[in-house]
Amino acid sequence: MIPRFDATSFSVVTAEMQQAFNRDGVLVLDGLIPEAKCDELCSHMDDMMASFDVDEHASVFSSASQAHAQDEYFLSSGHTTRFFFEEEAFDEDGALTKPLEKALNKVGHAMHDIDPEFDRFSRQPALAALARGLGLTDPKLAQSMYIFKQPEIGGEVLCHQDATYIRTNPNSCLGFWIALEDATEENGCLWGIPGGHLDGTNSGMPKSLFIREGVGTREEVLDETPYREKDCLPLPAPKGTVLAFGGLFPHMSRANRSAKSRHAYTLHIIDGATNYPDDNWLQRPEDMPFRGF
Ligand code: FE2
């Protein structure tokens, strides 16, 4: 059983919250974000999608033979706003079978720095207090993602640890998973393994590393023991709930086969006092360093 905390009037991380976070690897804060703010971000995303030109990007998304172009589009997304599609949104000829707003998997990865609405939402005082309260002395916002988990075609996300993708030495990755719509077992809510952040043979390290190599990436496995998936528990999150978890917390989500979408916004925060390796996939140009709150 993972405890839930009423965070409608959150101001600091309490000793009880800290204890739950340390023990389970995840902290569930209900009502941390007012529903109206969630709605505003969703409608802002509607506006962004309305000005997106599908044809301009079609060659990147539509064909397996374009894998290199997809890599390039992904690898250079750390300082800009890029649109990524659901695999099941295309037919075998590579044509989109859904309208854009029902075909996107996610948008990422720097809206928090280049879009004023996302900037404001990401740097609201409650999130700053949460990052500092959970131990980051110099929190820097590294990555943002708007995740759609579309009705019927929202893809499964296999069990993973975020520190595989956002590495610092020592590990400092902290993820905020914010429900912009109600996330339930039916529409593909997050699942996680309580205590799973303490498993593994490499203390303080994720089971694998996602490494940038030139214009591609490779995965390096450090620990081949499988995740304790039988212990995985659902983390349903009503609109406005924030799930806060460290980079070693194993989590996943099932496909969404329901008729309801499950929009979420995620932020990954690191401590500026740590080392950020230059073979992390996400790299910023020198004139655009990670910023704090
Ligand atoms: Fe994740």
Side-chain angles (χ1 to χ4, degrees), residues 86 88 105 149-150 153-157 253-257:
E86 281 294 350
E88 293 180 31
N105 169 284
K149 202 73 157 181
Q150 299 286 0
I153 60 164
E156 173 187 23
V157 177
S253 64
R254 295 178 173 167
N256 182 10
R257 300 297 177 203

Side-chain angles (χ1 to χ4, degrees), residues 160 162 245 251 268:
H160 67 279
D162 291 342
F245 47 90
H251 58 282
H268 287 92

Side-chain angles (χ1 to χ4, degrees), residues 197-226:
H197 61 305
L198 304 172
D199 293 351
T201 54
N202 294 286
S203 165
M205 293 288 284
K207 283 183 187 288
S208 65
L209 308 177
F210 186 69
I211 293 171
R212 174 194 279 255
E213 239 171 22
V215 290
T217 56
R218 67 182 171 88
E219 188 149 359
E220 188 174 313
V221 177
L222 304 176
D223 172 0
E224 290 190 356
T225 48

Side-chain angles (χ1 to χ4, degrees), residues 143-267:
Q143 167 182 278
S144 49
M145 289 189 278
Y146 189 105
I147 302 167
F148 296 88
K149 202 73 157 181
Q150 299 286 0
E152 288 148 21
I153 60 164
E156 173 187 23
V157 177
L158 297 175
C159 198
H160 67 279
Q161 297 164 303
D162 291 342
T164 292
Y165 304 97
I166 307 270
R167 240 173 325 123
T168 64
N169 298 315
N171 169 45
S172 67
C173 174
L174 176 66
F176 293 160
W177 192 103
I178 303 165
L180 299 175
E181 297 180 318
D182 293 345
T184 63
E185 284 190 53
E186 192 198 7
N187 68 359
C189 71
L190 214 69
W191 292 61
I193 303 173
H197 61 305
L198 304 172
D199 293 351
T201 54
N202 294 286
S203 165
M205 293 288 284
K207 283 183 187 288
S208 65
L209 308 177
F210 186 69
I211 293 171
R212 174 194 279 255
E213 239 171 22
V215 290
T217 56
R218 67 182 171 88
E219 188 149 359
E220 188 174 313
V221 177
L222 304 176
D223 172 0
E224 290 190 356
T225 48
Y227 292 110
R228 288 186 285 122
E229 291 201 35
K230 65 174 176 35
D231 298 325
C232 212
L233 295 179
L235 291 159
K239 187 198 283 193
T241 290
V242 176
L243 309 175
F245 47 90
L248 299 180
F249 179 65
H251 58 282
M252 45 130 340
S253 64
R254 295 178 173 167
N256 182 10
R257 300 297 177 203
S258 81
K260 284 187 190 149
S261 59
R262 190 227 67 187
H263 291 199
Y265 180 56
T266 67
L267 280 169

Side-chain angles (χ1 to χ4, degrees), residues 54-55 57-66 70 85-98 103:
V54 177
D55 294 337
H57 296 84
S59 67
V60 176
F61 299 116
S62 61
S63 162
S65 67
Q66 293 282 335
Q70 285 187 39
F85 284 79
E86 281 294 350
E87 270 179 50
E88 293 180 31
F90 298 93
D91 64 20
E92 60 254 29
D93 301 322
L96 265 186
T97 58
K98 306 257 180 189

